[in-house]
Amino acid sequence: MVSLPPSLQKQVSVMSMNLSAKLDELQRGDRQLETTVALCEIRTQLQELTKSVESCQSEVSEVKRDMVTIKQELDTVQQVKEEIEELREYVNRLEEHSHRRKLRLLEQGLTLFLSYAILAAVLGMLQFGYNTGVINAPEVNIENFMKDVYKDRYGEDISDDSVKTLYSVAVSIFAIGGMVGGFSGGTIANRFGRKGGLLLNNVLGIVGACLMGFTKLAESYEMLFFGRFIIGVNCGLNTSLVPMYISEIAPLNLRGGLGTVNQLAVTVGLLVSQVLGIEQILGTNEGWPVLLGLAICPAILQLLLLPVCPESPRYLLITKQWEEEARKALRRLRASNQVEEDIEEMRAEERAQQAESTISMTELICSPTLRAPLVIGVVMQLSQQLSGINAVFYYSTNLFTSSGLTDESAKFATIGIGAIMVCMTLVSIPLMDRTGRRTLHLYGLGGMFIFSIFITISFLIKEMIDWMSYISVVSTLCFVVFFAVGPGSIPWMITAELFSQGPRPAAMSIAVLVNWMANFLVGIGFPSMKSSLENYTFLPFSAFLAIFWIFTYKKVPETKNKTFEEILALFRHGNDREEELATNSSKETVLSDATTANHTHATDKL
């Protein structure tokens, strides 16, 4: 039962007292009042009372309606609360399921067929390593060939500076081809697939090797240049396609170690080219064309081995939407029918980047979310090439000779570089998934910085102290050791890891293009830099190493044991925080401006 409002209760009480008083007066007859008049007053007051009661009923009805509305709102709030609880439980179950899936992914091991597929793929990186180092040892033989061809053509001797320039072209045009190949890698990967692109690329490898191998027979150093350019395109495509293929077929817990196999193949190729380039084998005036032509072997071997391997399951599922083909590929690679965890991880990656599918290079550069990983990928590639390592690879024999070693000792020291690269890359394979990419890269850059300073010091005082030439050799070898620990393999691997399936080909193309451009600049510019800076040749590389170490320390995230989805989310959240900070800053600026304006206005009034 609803009680009357206080005001109405008071009014009723007053009216009741008035009525009682009137009735008492009528009964006592103290005053001569007419009964009719008194009754009229009573009727009037009763009418007012009736109106007040009706008003009260109206207020009570409104209160009832308000109470019904409040009850409905309370019911809605309770329903929303129940839905939130259900959603929280669902999210918790989803997180638990994702955690269990990741644990199962981390338990996957290396299978025989996966090892075979990786071996077949990394022959492309062996090709890259071989052709990077093969031009080093026969430098004098190639220069003599150029002198002879020039004299036969024009009947006069060519100057030593011109020969050096021609040789620099032979060295650096390989990097120009690498730029073309690296830039085309994303398009080739999306159109023909990772495996399909590698198979087609071997045609270029065979053509380039044949051109270099028949250079002396044709008596044309232009053929050498063209062959080096074609093999450069081949190697540029390999540096884009091979890391992409391996990162996409490797299990989550082995992705770092297997990614390091890329660098292992590069170092094996370097070592093989250096061993075959000594005078006792093919480092002669007659043998150097065969040395260059042997680049045909990795191409033919990959053409024989790779067709048996499956296409990248990620490419099949996410890019082509061929789920059953992806399942077949995974069953072969994992040697198990239980591939649902991998499929779920790929689906999660696909959902995370649906808005970025088939992304172009222009869209990649303009995307705020992807700008940070792109900058990191590019700087990581620059940290590899501008570290000075290619100056060692291309010109180590000449470098050791100028430091005081004999020609034969310099060539064997160059072979030592290749052997150390192979050994240290093998050491870094298990460390990659234990220590982490970022940590190893920091150690590598730091060690290279220290020993680049030692190289400069040894150059400066080698004329005063005879045995300082050996310090130069040791410092160079240690420089290579730290390169193999981090910067040798991590830039290739981390660039593929930083991006999801959609933008990954475009990102690899840009990163590889930058890598080869820096490669070209070092290859073409190092001889001039060496002649102008002389004993201070490695100081610019020391400065670059310091900059890259600081950048890695401050900006590069750790990608060890993270899924592609988690890495993408890492940059997305970081970008959201930056946007939020920028928005807040903008709001604060507007408020500050408004406050200032109001204050000025008030001051003017005063």
Side-chain angles (χ1 to χ4, degrees), residues 435-445 485 490 549 552 558:
T435 309
R437 287 66 150 151
R438 178 177 177 273
T439 304
L440 283 180
H441 200 65
L442 287 171
Y443 277 124
L445 291 174
V485 166
I490 290 172
W549 191 94
T552 303
E558 183 53 70

Side-chain angles (χ1 to χ4, degrees), residues 246 252-262 425 428-433 437 493 497:
I246 290 179
L252 177 63
N253 60 320
L254 299 177
R255 204 169 61 212
L258 294 180
T260 311
V261 176
N262 289 318
T425 305
S428 69
I429 289 176
L431 292 177
M432 197 62 64
D433 284 310
R437 287 66 150 151
M493 182 197 320
E497 287 183 330

Side-chain angles (χ1 to χ4, degrees), residues 82-98:
E82 291 173 357
E83 289 177 356
I84 289 172
E85 288 298 325
E86 290 177 3
L87 187 61
R88 184 180 287 114
E89 290 176 3
Y90 174 74
V91 169
N92 290 336
R93 289 197 303 270
L94 194 62
E95 286 181 351
E96 186 179 352
H97 174 72
S98 177

Side-chain angles (χ1 to χ4, degrees), residues 592-604:
S592 176
D593 292 344
T595 305
T596 304
N598 291 336
H599 179 71
T600 305
H601 185 61
T603 304
D604 292 342

